[in-house]
Amino acid sequence: MKPTILLGTAQIPNDGGELRLTQRDDVFNIQLVGVHGELMSSRMSSSEVALSELGCAHLQGVENAKVLVGGLGMGFTLAAALKATSSSSQVVVAELVPEVVEWNKGALGECAGRPLDDQRTEVYLGDVAELFMSRQATFDAILLDVDNGPEAFTHDDNSELYSMASLQAIREMLHPNGVLAVWSAWHDPRFTKRLKKAGFSTSFKTVRAHKGKGSKHTIYLAKKS
Ligand SMILES: C[S@@+](CC[C@H](N)C(=O)[O-])C[C@H]1O[C@@H](n2cnc3c(N)ncnc32)[C@H](O)[C@@H]1O
């Protein structure tokens, strides 16, 4: 069996813990130290891709669409957002941890086909929540996968992101008919209720982690009507 190689470590801002990037054979893993299981594996990307496919379905053939992806990770959601939108689109990806961006510029970037090299990609280095402060309609789709989902947090600061105040701010950041899509490891009807209260019309889809197999994940879809 091939050994696991440690490729890099990174501190999450605000004492959020340590991320570790490892590689075994051609599989990459990102782990949060002290938390059971991996945060991400390059073996499983179907639900990360589905987040973009579902969240950008309304943007097919739309010129100059603007999309925000919250959390770069291994770049699968970003790559799928670029694929799902036209050549005149712009996709901003917000990433909290600078090393994650650097890892994607290196060997890890191959996993999703190097979406950072696409000229439509713009990187915002920092907390995605900072982008919601202007409350100006800017995006046609906002795709969030910064954690395990609204119900479980690996990074404490992210609980605020899914609060009522934040959801209302996110709604204001969307153009009319814009869509907020949120990846989650579980389904929680309470989050759907909160989205409705924040003024969205909502639905959700259950998707599998890997090519129709593996864990079931939830994609919440919230439309600004
Ligand atoms: C589960 S991964 C995202 C996986 C991604 N969907 C993909 O396709 O590979 C979560 C990412 O969000 C980043 N992150 C966590 N909290 C964040 C925040 N508040 N703002 C921006 N990025 C954040 C993490 O550093 C990590 O890179």
Side-chain angles (χ1 to χ4, degrees):
M1 196 187 282
K2 296 220 169 143
T4 299
I5 305 161
L6 179 65
L7 296 181
T9 60
Q11 291 302 319
I12 301 175
N14 298 329
D15 296 327
E18 184 182 276
L19 290 181
R20 277 191 194 161
L21 172 67
T22 59
Q23 182 179 6
R24 184 171 176 187
D25 212 349
D26 59 352
V27 177
F28 292 86
N29 280 295
I30 296 179
Q31 282 170 300
L32 181 59
V33 175
V35 174
H36 181 66
E38 68 228 353
L39 187 61
M40 277 221 69
S41 165
S42 61
R43 274 186 305 121
M44 282 175 279
S45 56
S46 298
S47 61
E48 286 79 4
V49 169
L51 176 65
S52 288
E53 290 176 345
L54 295 167
C56 295
H58 63 301
L59 298 178
Q60 238 185 9
V62 173
E63 293 300 322
N64 303 312
K66 197 158 176 189
V67 177
L68 173 63
V69 174
L72 173 61
M74 294 186 173
F76 294 113
T77 301
L78 171 61
L82 291 163
K83 197 173 166 198
T85 54
S86 72
S87 57
S88 59
S89 68
Q90 191 196 2
V91 182
V92 179
V93 60
E95 174 52 54
L96 186 65
V97 182
E99 288 86 345
V100 171
V101 176
E102 291 311 309
W103 295 343
N104 275 273
K105 289 180 183 166
L108 180 64
E110 292 297 336
C111 298
R114 302 211 161 274
L116 289 184
D117 292 348
D118 193 304
Q119 57 179 11
R120 295 173 291 159
T121 300
E122 187 187 308
V123 176
Y124 176 82
L125 205 48
D127 190 330
V128 67
E130 290 160 6
L131 296 177
F132 301 141
M133 286 174 183
S134 77
R135 290 178 171 256
Q136 276 172 18
T138 309
F139 298 105
D140 299 290
I142 296 176
L143 316 172
L144 293 183
D145 178 15
V146 295
D147 218 298
N148 278 333
E151 316 88 9
F153 308 102
T154 53
H155 182 47
D156 281 350
D157 291 355
N158 282 335
S159 53
E160 262 307 300
L161 193 60
Y162 302 107
S163 67
M164 180 60 75
S166 172
L167 292 176
Q168 282 166 342
I170 291 172
R171 191 176 172 279
E172 288 176 37
M173 294 299 298
L174 285 166
H175 288 142
N177 296 318
V179 169
L180 164 67
V182 179
W183 186 99
S184 177
W186 294 278
H187 178 245
D188 184 348
R190 286 173 302 178
F191 187 60
T192 300
K193 270 193 194 160
R194 203 180 312 152
L195 285 167
K196 281 188 184 150
K197 232 176 168 178
F200 290 102
S201 47
T202 64
S203 60
F204 71 90
K205 286 259 187 298
T206 303
V207 292
R208 294 288 197 145
H210 183 62
K211 295 181 182 168
K213 293 185 230 157
S215 315
K216 287 181 181 173
H217 298 149
T218 296
I219 311 288
Y220 298 97
L221 295 164
K223 189 174 170 190
K224 176 175 179 172
S225 39

